Amino acid sequence: MGDNIYNEVLIDHNLHPMHLHDLSCATCSNDGLNPTCGDSLSLHLNIENGVIKDGSFTGVGCAISQASTDIMLDLIIGRSTEDALHLKELFSKMINGDISQEEIDELEEAGALQNISKMPARVKCALLGWDTLEKLLKEEGAK
Amino acid sequence: MIILNNNPYKADFPVFRHYPDLVYLDNAATTQKPIQVMRSVEKYYSEENANPLRGLYELSIKATDAYENAREAVRKFIGAKSTKEIIFTRNATESLNLIAYSFGKAFIREGDEILVGVSEHHSNLLPWQNLARETGSVLKFLECDRQGAYSPEDLKAALTPNTRLFAIAQVSNVFGRFNPIREFAEICHRNGTRIVCDGAQSVPHAPVDVEDLDVDFLAFSGHKLYAPMGIGVLYGREELLEQMPPFLSGGEMIAYVTRENATYADLPHKFEAGTVNAGGAAGLRAAIGYIESIGFENIVQREKELTALAFHEMKRIEHVSIIGSENSEDHNGIITFTVDGVHPHDIAAVFDADGIAVRAGHHCAQPLHQHIGVQSTARMSLAFYNEEKDIERFIDTLKTVRRRMGYGG
């Protein structure tokens, strides 16, 4: 256990995150906090007509939370908010260890985090960005 | 130098038979349990179990004896004057909450001041935060330097005529450093201030004598002292405990009850409502007996040598920084550290992959981490049953952490 979660995809996104920066064109932002380890991040999105045009995150965290959030942004930028919420649902299913191969394929690179389902202590790290996304989109949808 | 491999005590701990390759370096969180402690708990439940303190038959008297003999063993172990000063709780956290609630009710008023060390564990901070909020008293902090040291001069300067109480650990669970508690107690008492000492990290690793330290309260947990989980101790000065109201109320803590009123039992039972953890107390007594059979001189020497070995090897590894003192003598079995570019949770996961248990996070000391300007850290903490080869494996893995997290070189 342990080592196999730090695969190349995860290491690469942690060391070279594409989306770790401020977003001047952001239309909305939300903060996520993992109280057990103190990791916190802010998610920034530019949403126009129900489509996520651009996105970024800021903050500090472990390799798993940083890489997971970066991969998530790769996946959702250019998609509708509905698609993004659907992917969040799939990702949660995967982390809970209850997902089909087709559904994993839909998650593309995020499938690299599948083994986290075997590390209960790190589930919250993998979900931090995704939970923040869900909270943000639901709040935006309610407006 | 004593022989640090083929540790004769390791065989007393069944966990290492189940996991022969386990390197357990999270002793500041909880220690493993020796077979002697497990047997004593089994003996209690096989031969002595009944509801203690109220039964009128032989088995209940045996249970009462097991429980009260444990109290006497604790009294002797920490040098208290009377068993009236030894209250059994669940753990150090409950002991500290008891003081905050009960001492608070008796002695803390609006405008009073409570002084707390900035490096304190949340269990020696949150009860005081709550007390301050509820009573309108003021919570103040004593700052330590980057080495984790508190200065007696700073303490003198921080005390005012309104400071009722100073709460400080004898050994910080992050720095591993001993605070000069006797000197602090003297400064506090000259000011009419009471001193609460959190002994969770000191009592298991060095002889602690409450009369010699002259503290008003001392709290510690059994489970960090090789005893079962769920048994802890509060030492309190008798004349203070007498003036403090009960913390919890219910059975076994009363003398006489009418419909509207109750007269409370005498010390120490006033503070032990409900059926007590007699099995845990029996285990704690066995743990104390076990420690005494090895001797603190031996324990301290082993732990100091292992600490020095780890410390000097860690110093030589690039990108590894040790939190706190530059001197290994100040670390007392606790070495908190960071690795450049690697989050502590990832450090712990890499160690876990190699079968080595270390802690990562803020170690329940968030204000301290804010104070020293790091978000979180990793921590290795050892006990006398650790061996040189545990340290070697720890160092071998530590050298690989950055490479395994994708950093070259």
Side-chain angles (χ1 to χ4, degrees):
Chain A
M1 206 167 82
D3 242 11
N4 58 2
I5 60 170
Y6 296 107
N7 51 41
E8 249 174 69
V9 174
L10 195 146
I11 295 269
D12 189 50
H13 277 277
N14 176 49
L15 289 184
H16 313 290
M18 288 281 292
H19 304 290
L20 179 64
H21 52 76
D22 287 321
L23 194 68
S24 54
C25 65
T27 56
C28 53
S29 288
N30 211 318
D31 299 330
L33 177 73
N34 184 351
T36 55
C37 61
D39 284 0
S40 66
L41 62 81
S42 302
L43 189 66
H44 317 286
L45 295 180
N46 174 307
I47 303 176
E48 278 176 39
N49 302 321
V51 174
I52 300 166
K53 294 276 192 194
D54 203 357
S56 80
F57 73 105
T58 48
V60 286
C62 65
I64 295 172
S65 69
Q66 297 274 297
S68 181
T69 306
D70 200 53
I71 294 169
M72 175 188 83
L73 283 161
D74 270 354
L75 206 55
I76 62 163
I77 291 170
R79 304 244 201 165
S80 70
T81 55
E82 270 169 38
D83 278 0
L85 285 169
H86 169 67
L87 290 167
K88 154 70 175 60
E89 212 172 294
L90 290 187
F91 189 82
S92 296
K93 277 177 80 173
M94 181 181 78
I95 295 297
N96 291 322
D98 164 36
I99 191 168
S100 68
Q101 190 54 51
E102 291 87 62
E103 289 173 319
I104 288 191
D105 292 344
E106 256 190 87
L107 283 171
E108 298 176 25
E109 246 189 349
L113 283 98
Q114 192 186 358
N115 278 335
I116 306 237
S117 64
K118 294 172 194 136
M119 300 198 71
R122 308 304 296 278
V123 162
K124 279 214 160 87
C125 314
L127 281 171
L128 184 60
W130 287 96
D131 281 341
T132 312
L133 172 72
E134 185 178 29
K135 199 166 52 144
L136 176 57
L137 292 181
K138 288 197 167 155
E139 278 175 20
E140 286 301 298
K143 275 182 192 167
Chain B
M1 184 88 179
I2 47 179
I3 300 161
L4 293 173
N5 268 331
N6 301 317
N7 187 319
Y9 308 113
K10 207 160 192 172
D12 291 334
F13 292 79
V15 71
F16 299 116
R17 279 207 301 281
H18 287 281
Y19 305 101
D21 293 328
L22 170 67
V23 173
Y24 187 76
L25 294 172
D26 197 17
N27 292 286
T30 196
T31 55
Q32 298 301 333
K33 317 303 175 198
I35 190 71
Q36 290 85 342
V37 165
M38 296 182 202
R39 283 200 188 116
S40 76
V41 176
E42 191 187 342
K43 180 173 185 289
Y44 172 81
Y45 283 110
S46 308
E47 299 173 25
E48 296 163 341
N49 179 57
N51 204 319
L53 305 167
R54 60 179 142 206
L56 300 169
Y57 47 90
E58 194 183 336
L59 202 55
S60 174
I61 293 164
K62 280 195 172 158
T64 307
D65 284 349
Y67 187 61
E68 294 301 328
N69 288 341
R71 196 189 309 276
E72 169 60 18
V74 171
R75 182 202 67 76
K76 247 178 89 190
F77 185 58
I78 61 168
K81 272 191 202 143
S82 158
T83 49
K84 287 183 178 176
E85 299 181 313
I86 307 297
I87 316 289
F88 283 124
T89 60
R90 281 191 301 145
N91 44 43
T93 297
E94 185 174 293
S95 302
L96 292 162
N97 273 273
L98 190 161
I99 309 167
Y101 176 89
S102 201
F103 181 88
K105 274 215 153 161
F107 296 105
I108 305 286
R109 302 284 172 266
E110 192 177 341
D112 285 349
E113 290 172 13
I114 302 163
L115 185 66
V116 177
V118 71
S119 62
E120 286 314 293
H121 190 281
H122 294 165
S123 61
N124 200 18
L125 168 61
L126 270 60
W128 309 117
Q129 280 182 352
N130 290 335
L131 178 63
R133 202 173 300 122
E134 281 159 19
T135 56
S137 53
V138 184
L139 185 65
K140 291 190 164 179
F141 286 91
L142 186 67
E143 313 285 336
C144 62
D145 66 18
R146 289 194 66 82
Q147 306 258 318
Y150 288 95
S151 102
E153 276 60 47
D154 286 351
L155 174 59
K156 279 179 206 160
L159 294 175
T160 77
N162 296 324
T163 315
R164 293 285 157 265
L165 184 137
F166 174 44
I168 185 92
Q170 188 169 17
V171 169
S172 145
N173 70 314
V174 175
F175 293 122
R177 188 182 191 121
F178 265 88
N179 288 316
I181 295 296
R182 192 188 305 120
E183 192 179 354
F184 287 177
E186 200 190 323
I187 294 168
C188 284
H189 290 155
R190 250 185 277 141
N191 193 59
T193 302
R194 297 297 180 176
I195 179 165
V196 174
C197 178
D198 175 359
Q201 300 295 347
S202 57
V203 173
H205 301 288
V208 171
D209 185 302
V210 290
E211 285 296 316
D212 178 51
L213 291 178
D214 202 25
V215 288
D216 298 295
F217 298 98
L218 175 80
F220 61 96
S221 294
H223 73 93
K224 294 189 202 293
L225 186 79
Y226 315 100
M229 293 186 174
I231 188 79
V233 173
L234 167 64
Y235 158 82
R237 222 183 265 283
E238 188 177 341
E239 67 261 30
L240 292 175
L241 292 176
E242 288 288 2
Q243 297 174 66
M244 288 159 50
F247 177 41
L248 301 171
S249 50
E252 294 193 83
M253 49 76 73
I254 44 87
Y256 189 72
V257 179
T258 64
R259 285 192 184 205
E260 289 82 24
N261 264 309
T263 318
Y264 297 120
D266 287 336
L267 288 174
H269 302 110
K270 178 169 94 173
F271 289 106
E272 295 177 354
T275 296
V276 296
N277 183 3
L284 177 57
R285 182 190 179 195
I288 290 171
Y290 180 71
I291 289 171
E292 285 171 342
S293 74
I294 296 168
F296 264 125
E297 206 178 317
N298 195 356
I299 288 173
V300 170
Q301 190 185 356
R302 279 180 181 274
E303 293 179 354
K304 273 204 184 304
E305 286 181 15
L306 289 167
T307 307
L309 187 67
F311 186 88
H312 294 302
E313 288 294 321
M314 288 170 80
K315 281 291 231 196
R316 293 168 48 189
I317 306 175
E318 243 189 305
H319 302 291
V320 170
S321 309
I322 292 172
I323 305 294
S325 175
E326 304 275 343
N327 180 357
S328 93
E329 285 283 305
D330 291 330
H331 280 269
N332 301 294
I334 292 176
I335 307 180
T336 299
F337 62 98
T338 56
V339 178
D340 293 345
V342 184
H343 190 282
H345 279 172
D346 300 319
I347 299 173
V350 170
F351 276 107
D352 177 49
D354 290 355
I356 302 167
V358 299
R359 174 86 191 262
H362 44 61
H363 317 294
C364 298
Q366 273 180 302
L368 171 63
H369 280 76
Q370 290 151 10
H371 180 61
I372 58 179
V374 289
Q375 207 225 352
S376 63
T377 50
R379 177 186 73 192
M380 69 91 90
S381 54
L382 45 87
F384 66 91
Y385 51 62
N386 286 118
E387 302 178 283
E388 195 171 329
K389 64 179 180 217
D390 293 339
I391 306 300
E392 280 163 13
R393 278 185 50 199
F394 168 81
I395 294 294
D396 286 348
T397 294
L398 183 56
K399 285 177 180 163
T400 70
V401 168
R402 270 178 58 90
R403 179 174 53 70
R404 286 155 79 174
M405 290 306 296
Y407 294 95

